[in-house]
Amino acid sequence: MRVRFERAEDILREEKAVSLFVGDRQDLVYKGLGPHDVDFSIHKKGESKATAYVEIKGVKKVESVYDSHTPVVAIKKLVTLQKLVNEKECEHVYIAWAYNDGIKYAKIQDLKGKLVWGGQKSRRHGSYYDHELMFIATDTDFKVKTYV
């Protein structure tokens, strides 16, 4: 059994972020997926097939999307997102970083950066992946949306 480290406040941050991501598009709805899956699928109203997917990564130590922060994500998460592009043939797969004032996001096909070995400074009990290959988005041209 895998352990989940997300708390209720993390899930609320994700909900707020995906709502901002979808924005005023009245023709779209989002659906939260399983605890060990991509965070959300996005559908046109009345359709069962997803038109997009988005993974939300919470940023707690940096306040603003405009502050100096280089987004980081585990390679295994990017592999999961890549499968949605290749196996589900969905070209609209995004990753977003949620800050207190908004989100910074990009399609996974547009990510540019480097790989490093990294992760948590100290291992958490029950976690196998606190030290792993990480992607650092050093050269990605992110889009930004802020909360009004």
Side-chain angles (χ1 to χ4, degrees):
M1 172 185 245
R2 296 184 347 196
V3 179
R4 270 191 90 192
F5 293 100
E6 286 180 321
R7 297 178 304 217
E9 67 188 55
D10 300 326
I11 294 167
L12 288 173
R13 179 188 294 263
E14 289 175 3
E15 287 277 343
K16 185 177 177 185
V18 73
S19 181
L20 179 62
F21 182 81
V22 171
D24 296 333
R25 294 281 309 266
Q26 299 298 316
D27 61 323
L28 297 177
V29 293
Y30 59 86
K31 176 183 171 190
L33 301 177
H36 301 292
D37 203 341
V38 173
D39 291 323
F40 298 95
S41 59
I42 298 171
H43 305 257
K44 289 187 178 175
K45 281 187 179 174
E47 293 184 13
S48 60
K49 184 176 179 180
T51 58
Y53 293 90
V54 63
E55 173 71 20
I56 309 290
K57 307 308 291 178
V59 180
K60 298 174 190 158
K61 296 180 180 178
V62 179
E63 291 291 318
S64 174
V65 293
Y66 299 111
D67 288 344
S68 178
H69 176 249
T70 304
V72 176
V73 64
I75 290 297
K76 69 181 175 61
K77 181 55 74 174
L78 293 179
V79 169
T80 299
L81 294 171
Q82 173 185 275
K83 286 179 182 178
L84 294 170
V85 174
N86 293 332
E87 295 174 15
K88 294 205 177 203
E89 298 179 354
C90 182
E91 66 180 77
H92 303 289
V93 178
Y94 296 86
I95 187 161
W97 281 266
Y99 300 79
N100 288 339
D101 65 346
I103 60 173
K104 182 186 292 188
Y105 66 97
K107 283 176 109 174
I108 66 158
Q109 300 94 316
D110 296 333
L111 292 175
K112 295 177 184 152
K114 63 183 181 178
L115 299 177
V116 299
W117 184 260
Q120 300 289 328
K121 290 183 180 173
S122 59
R123 286 190 187 269
R124 298 169 290 184
H125 180 72
S127 176
Y128 294 104
Y129 295 106
D130 276 348
H131 298 127
E132 60 190 324
L133 275 175
M134 305 292 291
F135 172 78
I136 301 176
T138 55
D139 299 309
T140 302
D141 185 21
F142 289 103
K143 291 179 174 67
V144 171
K145 286 187 175 184
T146 55
Y147 302 113
V148 179

